[in-house]
Amino acid sequence: MTTGATLDEASRKSLADAAFTVLSRADGPLHLGEILARIQAEGLSTVDGQTPQLALSTALSRDGRFERRGSSNEWSLAGAEGDIADEEADGTGFASAQHRGSGQAPAPPVERAPGVPPPTNLVGDVEIAPSHTISAEDFLPHVPDLERRLRALGAELLIESGIVRRIYRSLLAGRHVVLSGPPGTGKTELARLLPTLLWADGDHHGYAPLLVTATEDWGVRDVIGGIGPRLGDPGSGLSYVIEHGALTRAVLRHYAGTDDGSRLPDGPKPLVRQAFYKAEGHRYRGTWLIIDELTRAPVDAAFGGLLTTLGGGEDAVLLVPTASGQPRAVPLPRDFRIIATLNSFDRHFLNQISEALKRRFDFIDVPPPVPHLAADEQGIAAAHALRRLLRSGFPQITRALDGQGYHWPGVLAVEQVVDDEGALRYRLRPEHDEARLALSNFWRLLTAIRAFRQLGTAQVVAVYMSLFAGVLTGGMGWPEALDAALADSLADQLQVLTRDEQRTVELLVAHAGDATTFAAAVRAMLRDLPSGRRMVYLAALVERDAELRGDDVGEPAPSLLDSTRLDDVASDDTLSRVFAPEEHLLLPRRGLFARRLRTLSRERGL
């Protein structure tokens, strides 16, 4: 079968019919990658070539029997009931997990044809077919088609596949994982997506994510549970009950009779493992705990009593508090995992993690996309910005006819494409000269700033939204909208830069179009710096230059950082590659962004 744009009508119909069969059997909407996996597993249709997901997406988009659910890549039969997950910013600019990872409820009672006897494998009202039976002793299963699922992830997030493979390796090895990195790199959304996207199969949607955000007042009661007050009916006064913490709720959801993890089952009988159901009827193998902003909590105070539980022993148990005062031991399922996120920029200002607790986790860094993925990053950021502006009621933005992109007629378009490795990507296509110039100017500034601070893709989304909205409202031209967007949505992120780094960005705005004057001003600034600070600056300059040229980034040779060789290290060529000062900027030199930069570099604050 041919794929993508060349898909012939007969092949497209065959693929659509296969998808219709899969969705007819499903409990609710399915991710595009999961539909494809079920088609291939059941042999319903042949999908050859390097772009099977694009072929399937094209087939569904052009068939009136299907509809895409909200802004995600989930599909259902047209007219089927089900919740469409709202999309909210979670610091990454991507879909929030608070709708798709919480609010679960037990599945509806099983319906059987007249005359069919009740099955013996009932847990409450939920029937678990023998092929779906899950044991607390089950290990986390290997993913047989990992590469295909990694390609599917590219339609949602721009994360290097090597990083995802490291996370997958750690999870398979029984480790819990902390994703660290700068703000806005997609850590939270990655943590939410992986349990479902990687482990979905023909019977389950993978593992349901239970997302919680750590706070500075977290304690044992928030993680494990304890006594909490409850106000009853009017006149009944205050009472106290056992309330389960986030970890306990996530673990109990693996067992029958726990009312969505809110209580322990009655009686002393052994706990019975069951599939977990979300409110829309999706079946999951279990629930994983996703903790956002881990170090905002006093981690050791909240988790210190769990060192043995999280150690991954053969018979690990979670001691759950009870009203009798005697904790009940709940087996920790062997396929249960915790994925947490940590903002590396705030690491020194927040709570620290003890070495003993660190040993229970693997720490994996999630940096911004590397420079050679600039086109991919621009595309996915523009797609998210236009999607959110469309949802905010801007009528000038429309969805592409195939449902996979966005269009601002006469100004720009965002199209979904397939890269050389078969991954789904977005491409930003400006159709207006001033729009093209404004977007190019912003990217030059962002590339320069990333020499000093690893700004994430979420910051790109924020600037794009402000820039586009400024023009869409009709009150600003592109130069004015760009200046305001940088002042309002980016400048505040530069407060953590040192004075010399802020001064460099200020000089770039002031001398754009005059590379010689810019280079001379930067070298003059460096000569006035203390030697230690100058070495740090030059080291960052050399590393960024190597990264942009695609060379291996290693430690700069000490001789290169000798003050007598400053002109060689901070040469015109190096400064040109890192900061691109040759071309003029749309920005006014005394505009809003320039004034904010001057304020920052002179340490007067905001």
Side-chain angles (χ1 to χ4, degrees), residues 280-364:
E280 61 268 28
H282 287 174
R283 182 203 304 265
Y284 291 85
R285 296 181 62 91
T287 298
W288 285 7
L289 181 61
I290 312 299
I291 306 176
D292 200 21
E293 302 288 355
L294 177 66
T295 49
R296 294 195 180 278
V299 182
D300 280 271
F303 284 85
L306 295 171
L307 292 178
T308 302
T309 301
L310 299 180
E314 290 288 326
D315 300 310
V317 296
L318 178 65
L319 297 179
V320 178
T322 66
S324 68
Q326 183 66 33
R328 181 170 178 181
V330 175
L332 197 69
R334 291 190 180 183
D335 58 347
F336 171 75
R337 299 290 186 271
I338 297 173
I339 304 179
T341 70
L342 182 154
N343 181 350
S344 58
F345 281 1
D346 293 340
R347 183 175 294 182
H348 300 296
F349 306 102
L350 300 174
N351 296 284
Q352 302 301 303
I353 306 175
S354 70
E355 294 303 316
L357 194 55
K358 282 181 182 178
R359 290 198 299 271
R360 272 63 183 176
F361 292 86
D362 281 350
F363 288 75
I364 298 176

Side-chain angles (χ1 to χ4, degrees), residues 222-234:
D222 300 280
V223 176
I224 302 175
I227 298 175
R230 176 174 296 176
L231 188 62
D233 297 331

Side-chain angles (χ1 to χ4, degrees), residues 232-247:
D233 297 331
S236 63
L238 191 66
S239 61
Y240 293 87
V241 296
I242 295 294
E243 295 179 343
H244 294 315
L247 176 61

